[in-house]
């Protein structure tokens, strides 16, 4: 989740009154923030990705103002009529078709604001733009260039400009090949024959979306007038990004001015900051929240969340939603606004009246029984991960590698496949506990996975039990006694223990466990080579059983 | 005298028969006790002031193998001297050694001591004697002979000259020294009084046997008193893993509350893990950075088309739900991709797809996966406490009540519900508990009411309360851990010594 560090002194400027860190820390969680850190003069909070409008002080402040009832209801955003024109060339339709823009005049930025602006831009790139894929933003010093502007696409080596933070001119082709941002985002355009470019009246480059701005329009503390551009292949994302950005800049003291955007065959006036309207049945809100709010009561809750509402028919409110609230999709989202405005802290927990009968899952009953027997036999339970690797799972066990369930993107080579058996994990546990006193008797009742093409997910989850006994005198006789005790007490009928071969066990001291003539497990003394592979110094005997095969009464499907 | 154990009584009686004074060896022989047992008895008796232990220590020296060898054949330098005399007082070293019959390894010793005793000199390869007649035996050689004859000598009895000779032999590594101790026991006045009264010698046993019990002979023996405060041997019981105990406790609570347990596969299609939960296909959580996708097998099958189409439409434009939807083109192929489930909510929604009739209360405490680097805070594989309540009139407050009850039963008293966000619930909240020791709020997990966009394709008509909270976080609080990896480290010491959770 994105993080924003709020200094109370700056916050106070936005709120119009002083605020202490403790006060902010007390209320912010009730607006949906997670407290990361509370300092003497700052609060570091995380916000949820749906509330991307919380990426600026302005965004947090307007919510907090409503919540503290310093200013409630819909914030109004005025924008002056357009003076500047942006032409969108049809050449961009093949690479990054949409651009919207806005102008912000008479803004005063200090060094800190400039940094915040950059952070906001990055948060929007991530939150709405999906790492610039759906939308990306350029913020420019308007006074460095001259309108009208043109959003076009050019041959990769046909122009040269100085990219932001550099001193030498580069062609778009060179930027993709050498510039750090070019390398990071080239995949978004390098497949096209022409690259997007935003230029002014004289062909001077403002930016090369979505890669980098030009040095020419760099924003600093002296910048007074801004030109905002947002481009992307998703009109929706482009529009949302601009709404959040423009409203934040207006709250920071800028005067918004519209831009005429000429698409081939269509003219748009941007930004569109017209509040959206959505209906809310108050009875629906009351039903979901367990409240008995009146119409007025519901309106007050919504206003505390910076929305507005009026009664349009019996029991129905028409809710006005500020342009930066891009997260509201459905009436239910307004219900949550009512709840937040009411205060989650005021919602009194109650126990549902719903009566149902509790029941354990049959597989877990089986697991419980097995655990009870094994602990009764003096075995200690361990819990290993189901993810493992082929070296331990097959090589150490003297087994030929099979085709296990395999991850496409393992986080480390250590956890790359899903285990098909539990024993390798138990042997690893023994190897890692050589300093502890013996005998060591361990067991695990847990999941293994294997490929099964008959199932919807092509994979099968099964419940296994494995046990090991490790000490200077451990042998087949001992483990067989334990295994028989298990089978007998599980109530298994028709079981047999027959001589068998298994590469992980000593030949002549290996047996298969059969139930109704079907093999369900293996039992024996671990092969000394396997012990050497793991670095285990004591004789070890073990068994592993597919527990689900033991339950004959109810055949369990997973 | 009360409180004396059998071997102590026996030792006391034996001493009396020796007129109150005897060596440990004599007492052992007389009483039939082992030497060590007599010593143990003597220590206890002396602590009780019944016996005095007199100790005498002395040192003895004995020849080692090499020493005995020299005692019989003469010191190497003496043998070389004699050989040279036979050869006329001068010869090459090789010749002299051959004549003396010295083994190669003692030749340097012979030459060295010949020079040191000033009997001869070595010039180049020649060896010449300084003496014409054989010198008489030195103190060292006399001592050697005596020791060979007597086997061992008491060092304290030696004259000064012989003590020096012994030192020479010791430096030549020919002797072994040993300290001897002689212990004599003597009855004290108190001891006499006790012994004179006579002691009843009854057999004492340390272990009851079947024979003693069945024969009734236990009546005639004395059962040894144990030092009951002494530490006993350590044994470890077989038991469940502490995390498993907490899983069982969590299951138990939901069962107590009337919930039915469900269980599903670890590998899921993206459809059930994400799409059915209204998570858009370009949602960051679906990226490779957060979710484990499978390389083999890669894709699974989708459920019946009617359901798939309803989910697809809901994503694209909201379908019949009144929602705006996510406004993109939904992909079947993306939905078929297999993942290790990132939450057990995949199972819950699958259950709802086939169980539409309220009331429904189901839960699971089961394994989930996230593509995370394993650190003290995060695991790639962990457990989720999951559940839903679906009924006509349930509300957000009922959800809060359910979770609050669950955590109160776990002993967490201070629970709050903060607004939060999940793509598939609205309203959403996170459960936080105040940790009195850490003095801060701990996030336990998420909850909310399933969105209409989630319920409509499943044809569910009533509100559904849902939660998915962390088990490991709860376990860390319960077990006082600050590194989550401990839960899966399987450190035997920790497992053996961690008390059962109650």
């Amino acid at each position: 989740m994105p993080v924003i560090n709020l200094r109370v002194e700056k916050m106070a400027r936005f709120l119009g009154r002083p605020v202490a860190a403790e006060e902010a820390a007390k209320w912010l969680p009730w607006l949906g923030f997670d407290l990361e850190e509370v300092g003497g003069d700052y609060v570091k909070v995380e916000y949820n990705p749906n509330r991307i409008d919380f990426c600026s002080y302005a965004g947090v402040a307007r919510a907090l103002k409503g919540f503290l009832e310093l200013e409630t209801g819909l914030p109004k955003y005025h924008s002056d009529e357009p003076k500047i024109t942006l032409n969108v060339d049809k050449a961009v339709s093949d690479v990054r078709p949409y651009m919207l823009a806005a102008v912000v005049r008479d803004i005063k930025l200090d060094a800190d604001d400039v940094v915040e602006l950059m952070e906001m831009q990055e948060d929007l790139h991530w939150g709405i733009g999906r790492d610039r894929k759906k939308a990306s933003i350029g913020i420019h010093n308007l006074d460095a260039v001259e309108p009208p502007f043109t959003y076009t696409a050019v041959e990769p080596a046909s122009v040269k400009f100085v990219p932001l933070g550099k001193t030498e001119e580069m062609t778009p082709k060179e930027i993709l090949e050498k510039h750090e941002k070019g390398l990071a985002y080239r995949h978004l355009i390098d497949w096209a024959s022409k690259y997007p470019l935003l230029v002014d009246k004289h062909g001077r480059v403002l930016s090369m979306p979505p890669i980098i701005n030009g040095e020419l329009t760099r924003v600093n503390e002296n910048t007074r007038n801004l030109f905002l551009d947002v481009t992307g292949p998703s009109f929706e994302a482009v529009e949302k990004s601009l709404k959040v950005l423009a409203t934040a800049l207006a709250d920071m003291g800028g005067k918004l001015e519209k831009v005429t955007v000429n698409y081939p065959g269509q003219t748009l006036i941007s930004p569109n900051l017209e509040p959206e309207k959505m209906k809310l049945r108050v009875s629906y809100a009351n039903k979901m929240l367990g409240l008995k709010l009146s119409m007025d009561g519901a309106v007050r809750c919504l206003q505390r969340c910076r929305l507005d509402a009026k009664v349009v028919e019996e029991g129905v409110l028409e809710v006005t939603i500020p342009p930066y609230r891009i997260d509201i999709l459905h009436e239910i989202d307004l219900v949550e606004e009512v709840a937040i405005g009411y205060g989650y802290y005021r919602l009194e927990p109650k126990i549902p009246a719903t009566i149902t009968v509790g029941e354990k899952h049959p597989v877990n009953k089986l697991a419980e029984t097995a655990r009870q027997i094994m602990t009764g036999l003096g075995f200690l339970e361990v819990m290993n991960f189901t993810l493992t690797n082929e070296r331990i799972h097959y090589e150490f066990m003297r087994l030929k590698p099979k085709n296990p369930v395999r991850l496409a993107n393992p986080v480390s080579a250590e956890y790359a496949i899903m285990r098909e058996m539990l024993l390798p994990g138990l042997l690893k546990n023994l190897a890692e506990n050589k300093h502890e006193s013996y005998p060591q008797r361990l067991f695990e009742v847990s999941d293994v996975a294997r490929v099964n093409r008959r199932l919807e997910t092509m994979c099968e989850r099964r419940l296994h039990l494995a046990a090991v006994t490790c000490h200077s005198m451990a042998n087949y006789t001992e483990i067989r006694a334990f295994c028989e005790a298990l089978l007998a007490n599980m109530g298994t009928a028709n079981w047999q223990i027959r001589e068998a071969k298994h590469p992980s066990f000593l030949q002549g001291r290996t047996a298969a466990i059969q139930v109704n003539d079907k093999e369900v497990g293996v039992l024996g003394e671990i092969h000394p080579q396997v012990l050497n592979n793991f670095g285990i110094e004591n004789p070890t005997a073990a068994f592993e059983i597919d527990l689900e095969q033991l339950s004959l009464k109810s055949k369990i499907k997973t | 005298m009360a409180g004396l154990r059998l071997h102590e009584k026996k030792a006391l009686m034996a001493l009396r028969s020796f007129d109150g004074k005897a060596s440990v060896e004599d007492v052992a022989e007389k009483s039939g006790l082992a030497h060590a047992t007599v010593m143990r008895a003597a220590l206890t008796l002396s602590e009780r002031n019944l016996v005095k232990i007199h100790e005498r220590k002395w040192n003895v020296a004995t020849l080692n193998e090499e020493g005995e060898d020299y005692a019989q054949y003469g010191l190497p330098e003496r043998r070389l001297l004699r050989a040279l005399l036979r050869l006329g007082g001068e010869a090459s070293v090789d010749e002299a050694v051959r004549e003396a019959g010295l083994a190669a390894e003692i030749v340097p010793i012979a030459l060295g001591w010949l020079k040191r005793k000033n009997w001869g000199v070595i010039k180049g390869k020649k060896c010449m004697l300084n003496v014409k007649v054989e010198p008489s035996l030195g103190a060292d050689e006399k001592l050697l002979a005596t020791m060979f004859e007597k086997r061992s000598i008491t060092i304290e009895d030696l004259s000064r000259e012989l003590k020096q000779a012994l030192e020479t032999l010791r430096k030549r590594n020919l002797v072994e020294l040993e300290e001897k101790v002689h212990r004599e026991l003597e009855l004290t006045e108190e001891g006499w009084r006790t012994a004179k009264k006579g002691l009843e010698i009854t057999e004492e046993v340390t272990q009851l046997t079947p024979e003693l019990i069945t024969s009734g002979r236990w009546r005639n023996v004395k059962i040894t008193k144990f030092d009951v405060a002494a530490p006993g041997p350590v044994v470890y019981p077989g038991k469940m893993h502490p995390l498993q105990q907490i899983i069982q406790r969590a299951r138990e609570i939901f069962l107590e509350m009337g919930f039915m347990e469900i269980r599903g596969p670890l590998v899921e299609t993206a459809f059930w893990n994400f799409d059915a939960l209204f998570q858009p296909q370009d949602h960051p959580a679906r990226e490779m950075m957060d979710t484990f996708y499978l390389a083999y097998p890669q894709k699974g099958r989708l459920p019946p088309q009617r359901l798939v189409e309803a989910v697809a439409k809901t994503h694209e434009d909201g379908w019949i739900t009144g929602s705006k939807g996510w406004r993109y083109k939904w992909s079947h192929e993306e939905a078929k991709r297999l993942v290790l489930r990132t939450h057990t909510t995949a199972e819950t929604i699958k259950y709802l797809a086939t169980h539409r009739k309220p009331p429904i209360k189901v839960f699971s405490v089961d394994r989930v996966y996230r593509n995370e680097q394993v650190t003290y805070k995060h695991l790639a594989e962990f457990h989720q406490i999951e559940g839903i309540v679906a009924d006509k009139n349930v509300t957000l407050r009922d959800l809060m009540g359910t979770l609050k009850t669950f955590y109160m039963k776990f002993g967490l008293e201070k629970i709050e519900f903060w607004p939060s966000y999940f793509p598939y619930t609205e309203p959403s909240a996170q459960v936080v508990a105040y940790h009195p020791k850490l003095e801060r709020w701990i996030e336990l997990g998420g909850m909310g009411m399933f969105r209409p966009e989630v319920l409509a394709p499943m044809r569910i008509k009533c509100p559904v309360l849902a939660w998915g909270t962390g088990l490991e976080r709860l376990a860390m609080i319960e077990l006082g851990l600050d590194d989550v990896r401990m839960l899966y480290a399987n450190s035997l010491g920790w497992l053996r010594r961690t008390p059962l959770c109650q």
Side-chain angles (χ1 to χ4, degrees):
Chain A
M1 291 211 297
V3 173
I4 183 165
N5 196 6
L6 303 164
R7 283 181 296 109
V8 291
E9 164 261 321
K10 188 169 177 182
M11 200 64 195
R13 290 210 307 266
F14 281 92
L15 284 181
R17 75 140 160 101
V19 61
E22 301 84 69
E23 190 189 8
K26 181 183 167 196
W27 292 111
L28 288 171
W30 299 110
L31 276 164
F33 290 93
D34 272 358
L35 292 179
E36 278 280 287
E37 228 175 281
V38 181
D41 57 355
Y42 70 94
V43 187
K44 198 168 156 192
V45 288
E46 272 188 340
Y47 60 93
N48 287 303
N50 64 321
R51 288 304 300 269
I52 197 68
D53 57 301
F54 285 157
C55 68
S56 64
Y57 271 84
V60 179
R62 63 168 95 92
L64 198 55
K65 264 179 173 172
F67 207 70
L68 297 173
E69 297 182 313
L70 301 173
E71 183 185 301
T72 61
L74 193 76
K76 301 256 173 1
Y77 294 99
H78 172 78
S79 46
D80 291 333
E81 288 312 302
K83 294 193 195 98
I84 288 175
T85 302
L86 166 70
N87 297 307
V88 179
D89 185 355
K90 70 172 188 302
V92 297
S93 62
D94 294 330
V95 48
R96 201 166 173 87
Y98 301 110
M99 176 178 276
L100 289 175
V103 167
V104 181
R105 294 202 187 264
D106 302 333
I107 193 159
K108 288 195 184 67
L109 301 169
D110 59 22
D112 192 58
D113 294 330
V114 174
V115 172
E116 194 198 338
L117 217 52
M118 265 145 53
E119 285 170 356
M120 253 168 87
Q121 194 178 344
E122 283 315 307
D123 284 350
L124 288 166
H125 279 161
W126 181 84
I128 303 179
R130 297 279 183 267
D131 208 13
R132 308 191 186 190
K133 202 160 68 197
K134 294 170 81 174
S136 63
I137 295 166
I139 304 177
H140 309 278
N141 176 7
L142 176 60
D143 300 326
V145 280
E146 198 178 332
F149 302 117
T150 305
Y151 176 43
T152 183
V154 297
E155 298 285 346
S158 61
V159 290
K160 275 192 160 187
F161 70 99
V162 182
L164 193 62
K166 300 283 174 203
T167 49
E168 276 172 38
E169 288 195 325
M170 295 170 94
T171 65
K173 183 168 180 281
E174 286 167 340
I175 289 174
L176 291 200
E177 282 162 2
K178 290 179 203 152
H179 194 280
E180 56 277 12
K181 293 288 177 193
L183 291 168
Y185 295 103
R186 56 183 299 168
H187 60 280
L188 297 174
I189 55 167
D190 64 0
W191 41 269
S193 58
K194 290 179 172 181
Y195 298 160
L197 209 66
L198 176 64
V199 294
D200 79 344
K201 183 181 176 182
H202 308 291
R204 290 178 295 188
V205 176
L206 283 80
S207 77
M208 175 185 166
I211 312 296
I212 187 93
N213 282 355
E215 177 64 28
L216 179 65
T217 55
R218 172 194 280 279
V219 173
N220 60 30
E221 301 101 278
N222 302 319
T223 309
R224 286 294 163 265
N225 300 307
L226 301 174
F227 182 73
L228 315 178
D229 85 76
V230 188
T231 61
S234 158
F235 185 80
E236 181 103 4
V238 168
E239 195 178 29
K240 284 178 175 174
S241 302
L242 186 60
K243 282 179 176 182
V244 175
L245 185 64
T247 49
L249 283 162
D251 282 348
M252 286 166 81
K255 269 172 63 189
L256 293 180
E257 178 185 302
K258 292 181 185 127
V259 173
T260 307
V261 186
N262 288 321
Y263 279 87
Q266 194 189 3
T267 296
L268 299 175
I269 303 298
S270 165
N272 172 15
L273 298 180
E274 207 45 45
E276 270 192 78
K277 291 183 169 37
M278 192 181 269
K279 283 188 178 148
L280 170 67
R281 292 161 293 150
V282 173
S283 60
Y284 177 57
N286 279 334
K287 181 174 156 44
M288 298 304 276
L289 302 176
L291 294 176
K292 287 176 181 157
L293 292 172
S294 65
M295 298 295 275
D296 279 354
V299 170
R300 272 198 302 280
C301 292
L302 290 166
Q303 284 174 334
R304 205 174 169 213
C305 290
R306 308 309 310 264
L307 294 95
D308 256 340
K310 62 174 186 201
V311 181
V312 285
E313 57 185 279
E314 180 63 31
V316 181
L317 294 173
E318 186 182 67
V319 181
T320 321
I321 302 157
Y324 56 82
R325 287 303 302 272
I326 58 167
D327 56 307
I328 292 178
L329 299 178
H330 187 277
E331 190 183 5
I332 193 69
D333 295 300
L334 298 175
V335 173
E336 187 180 78
E337 294 304 307
V338 172
I340 291 173
Y342 182 82
Y344 271 41
Y345 49 92
R346 285 170 67 200
L347 287 168
E348 213 169 301
K350 72 188 248 289
I351 294 183
T354 307
I355 305 289
T356 47
V357 177
E359 198 184 329
K360 293 177 186 174
H361 192 277
V363 167
N364 285 341
K365 278 199 229 175
L366 202 60
E368 280 176 21
T369 314
R371 278 194 194 101
Q372 199 185 346
I373 298 168
M374 291 314 294
T375 52
L377 291 171
F379 282 70
L380 187 64
E381 186 181 29
V382 293
M383 290 178 84
N384 286 297
F385 293 127
T386 59
L387 293 174
T388 181
N389 58 71
E390 283 163 305
R391 192 169 136 78
I392 286 180
H393 210 63
Y394 299 117
E395 208 180 299
F396 277 20
M397 296 297 285
R398 298 180 75 232
L399 295 171
K400 279 203 195 90
K402 292 187 195 140
N403 223 349
V405 176
R406 185 184 304 279
L407 298 189
N409 53 335
V411 69
S412 80
E414 207 183 331
Y415 306 114
I417 61 168
M418 289 191 88
R419 64 182 177 193
E420 295 186 307
M421 54 190 165
L422 304 175
L423 262 184
L426 291 176
L427 293 176
K428 191 161 169 270
N429 299 147
L430 290 176
E432 285 167 356
N433 282 291
K434 282 187 291 196
H435 55 286
E436 290 291 334
S437 65
Y438 288 88
Q440 295 183 359
R441 295 196 177 100
L442 312 178
F443 80 101
E444 184 166 9
V445 173
S446 192
D447 298 309
V448 301
R450 64 183 184 212
V451 176
N452 181 346
R453 302 204 158 269
R454 279 172 304 154
L455 301 175
E456 184 186 57
T457 58
M458 306 287 165
C459 300
E460 187 177 14
R461 171 190 192 181
R462 295 200 73 86
L463 185 74
H464 274 208
L465 158 65
V468 290
T469 174
C470 177
H471 54 95
S472 60
M473 301 295 286
N475 61 22
Y476 178 82
T477 314
E478 179 191 357
I479 199 70
R480 173 168 173 138
F482 286 128
C483 185
E484 280 192 33
L486 175 86
L487 292 168
N489 285 282
M490 291 290 292
T492 316
N494 289 328
W495 59 267
Q496 271 185 317
I497 288 176
R498 288 218 170 125
E499 195 184 336
K501 281 186 185 170
H502 191 292
S504 309
F505 292 84
L506 257 181
Q507 205 179 329
R509 298 183 179 194
T510 311
I513 306 160
Q514 297 181 333
V515 174
N516 289 329
D517 295 327
K518 192 175 174 198
E519 193 167 318
V520 301
V522 63
L523 156 76
E525 284 181 33
I526 300 291
H527 195 289
Q529 182 60 56
V530 174
L531 298 178
N532 285 162
N533 292 346
F534 278 94
I536 297 169
E537 287 156 11
N538 274 300
T540 304
F543 70 82
E544 173 146 1
I545 286 185
D546 182 343
L547 272 185
E548 292 175 61
Q549 303 264 19
L550 294 191
S551 126
L552 301 175
K553 277 177 225 154
S554 51
K555 188 100 175 120
I556 297 152
K557 255 176 64 191
T558 44
Chain B
M1 172 148 191
L4 284 185
R5 298 164 82 173
L6 181 65
H7 61 279
E8 290 152 11
K9 288 179 186 167
K10 281 185 175 169
L12 220 48
M13 299 311 280
L15 261 180
R16 194 177 73 163
S17 71
F18 284 113
D19 282 338
K21 194 169 183 181
S23 69
V24 172
E25 290 72 20
D26 290 343
V27 173
E29 201 184 329
K30 182 83 188 170
S31 64
L33 298 171
H35 187 274
T37 315
V38 173
M39 266 321 294
R40 218 164 47 232
L43 285 172
T44 318
L45 292 169
S46 82
E47 268 170 34
R48 300 180 65 163
N49 206 23
L50 299 172
V51 158
K52 261 187 115 155
I53 304 174
H54 303 283
E55 244 178 31
R56 193 167 65 83
K57 289 184 185 171
W58 72 99
N59 291 290
V60 295
T62 48
L63 289 178
N64 63 17
E65 213 179 313
E66 195 181 350
E68 287 185 351
D69 206 44
Y70 293 170
Q72 289 177 67
Y73 303 109
L75 289 171
E77 63 270 25
R78 175 69 66 183
R79 286 162 66 188
L80 188 64
L81 171 80
R82 286 175 183 154
L84 278 165
L85 281 172
R86 286 200 291 280
L87 292 168
E90 185 180 324
S92 79
V93 172
D94 289 347
E95 207 180 342
V97 165
R98 205 163 38 245
E99 175 65 24
L102 293 175
E105 65 267 21
I106 59 171
V107 171
I109 302 175
L111 291 171
W113 280 95
L114 191 76
K115 253 166 71 185
R116 253 171 102 168
K117 290 190 173 169
N118 207 19
W119 289 347
V121 288
I122 290 96
K123 277 190 183 147
K125 288 184 176 182
K126 281 237 160 191
C127 196
M128 285 165 289
L129 283 183
N130 297 342
V131 293
K132 294 267 168 19
V133 291
E134 186 177 346
S136 56
L137 292 179
D140 52 348
E141 291 169 297
K142 285 180 191 158
L143 181 63
L144 209 56
T146 315
M147 285 175 73
F148 186 68
E149 189 186 330
K150 291 191 173 174
R151 290 279 166 228
S152 77
I153 52 161
T154 302
I155 297 170
E156 285 79 358
D157 295 346
L158 296 178
S159 65
R160 247 184 77 184
E161 192 193 7
L162 285 179
K163 269 186 189 156
Q164 271 172 3
L166 181 68
E167 186 56 19
T168 310
L169 294 183
R170 193 188 64 78
K171 281 188 183 149
R172 289 184 73 167
N173 244 337
L174 303 177
V175 295
E176 305 276 350
L177 302 181
E178 196 189 350
E179 192 193 56
K180 293 273 188 185
V181 185
H182 179 77
R183 290 192 182 84
E184 208 169 39
L185 308 180
E186 186 181 10
L187 286 174
T188 60
E189 270 180 47
E190 177 78 28
W192 267 117
R193 266 198 297 282
T194 307
K196 272 181 188 158
K197 267 188 264 165
L199 290 163
E200 191 193 342
I201 305 276
T202 47
E203 188 186 346
E204 233 178 286
V205 295
T206 50
Q207 177 69 51
L208 269 177
T209 60
E211 190 273 324
L212 286 171
I213 295 165
T214 52
S215 65
R217 211 162 62 75
W218 60 268
R219 290 188 185 85
N220 310 324
V221 300
K222 185 165 185 239
I223 295 158
T224 322
K225 197 178 161 215
F226 279 168
D227 177 3
V228 294
V234 181
V235 288
Y236 300 108
K239 59 185 174 184
M240 274 197 277
H241 190 288
L243 185 62
Q244 187 66 250
Q245 294 170 35
I246 290 167
I247 292 176
Q248 299 308 323
R249 178 69 191 123
R251 292 178 61 233
E252 203 173 273
I253 293 173
F254 285 120
L255 291 165
E256 284 165 7
M257 290 164 76
F259 284 78
M260 196 182 84
E261 188 174 34
I262 57 171
R263 179 183 149 98
L266 301 175
V267 173
E268 268 298 354
T269 54
F271 181 85
W272 287 115
N273 196 74
F274 297 121
D275 294 287
L277 291 164
F278 197 53
Q279 244 163 297
Q281 292 184 330
D282 70 346
H283 193 277
R286 292 179 74 146
E287 274 170 26
M288 302 283 271
M289 280 153 57
D290 293 290
T291 303
F292 284 125
Y293 285 88
L294 294 195
Y296 176 80
Q298 273 185 350
K299 286 185 177 174
R301 287 190 286 273
L302 295 182
Q305 200 186 348
R306 196 170 72 156
L307 174 60
V308 175
E309 290 316 312
V311 167
K313 286 288 283 173
T314 311
H315 276 241
E316 287 176 355
D317 59 15
W319 193 41
I320 55 164
T321 63
S323 170
K324 293 185 198 171
W326 294 119
R327 315 236 166 152
Y328 71 104
K329 180 77 191 120
W330 191 82
S331 152
H332 283 71
E333 288 312 303
E334 185 63 33
K336 282 183 194 165
R337 291 177 76 183
L338 291 172
V339 301
L340 294 187
R341 64 176 181 194
T342 61
H343 48 192
T344 38
T345 319
E347 265 38 77
T348 306
I349 193 65
K350 207 187 227 178
Y351 182 86
L352 278 177
T354 49
H355 300 76
R356 283 191 284 272
K357 215 171 150 263
I360 298 168
K361 276 161 66 181
V362 297
F363 82 98
S364 64
V365 183
D366 214 345
R367 201 183 288 276
V368 295
Y369 302 83
R370 297 277 162 90
N371 192 345
E372 294 243 32
Q373 201 72 45
V374 176
T375 65
Y376 76 100
K377 260 168 109 172
H378 298 288
L379 296 172
E381 198 177 330
F382 52 97
H383 288 77
Q384 199 167 37
I385 303 170
E386 166 87 22
I388 52 164
V389 177
D391 203 358
K392 283 197 189 86
N393 293 313
V394 291
T395 69
L396 184 60
R397 289 173 52 208
D398 294 291
L399 176 55
M400 292 175 168
T402 305
L403 271 280
K404 188 158 184 163
T405 308
F406 175 81
Y407 285 111
M408 298 268 282
K409 277 174 172 262
F410 252 107
L412 297 172
E413 300 290 335
K414 228 171 138 186
I415 298 286
E416 283 187 359
F417 303 94
W418 296 349
S420 190
Y421 171 75
F422 306 98
Y424 41 96
T425 56
E426 190 83 5
S428 304
Q430 61 167 321
V431 194
V432 292
Y434 191 75
H435 196 300
K437 270 199 212 124
L438 300 179
E439 295 182 332
R440 61 183 179 90
W441 292 94
I442 310 263
E443 298 161 31
L444 295 173
M447 62 178 222
M449 299 173 78
F450 275 147
R451 293 187 70 97
E453 294 96 325
V454 172
L455 296 178
M458 306 298 142
R459 290 185 289 151
I460 302 284
K461 301 251 162 38
C462 64
V464 178
L465 316 175
W467 60 90
T469 66
L471 175 80
E472 278 75 2
R473 187 63 70 86
L474 188 60
M476 285 169 77
I477 298 176
E478 288 284 307
L479 297 164
L481 297 179
D482 48 20
D483 186 337
V484 69
R485 289 171 295 195
M486 193 63 190
L487 292 171
Y488 293 92
N490 294 308
S491 149
L492 223 52
W494 183 71
L495 294 176
R496 281 174 166 173
R497 289 179 263 281
T498 302
L500 292 187
C501 303
Q502 284 154 33

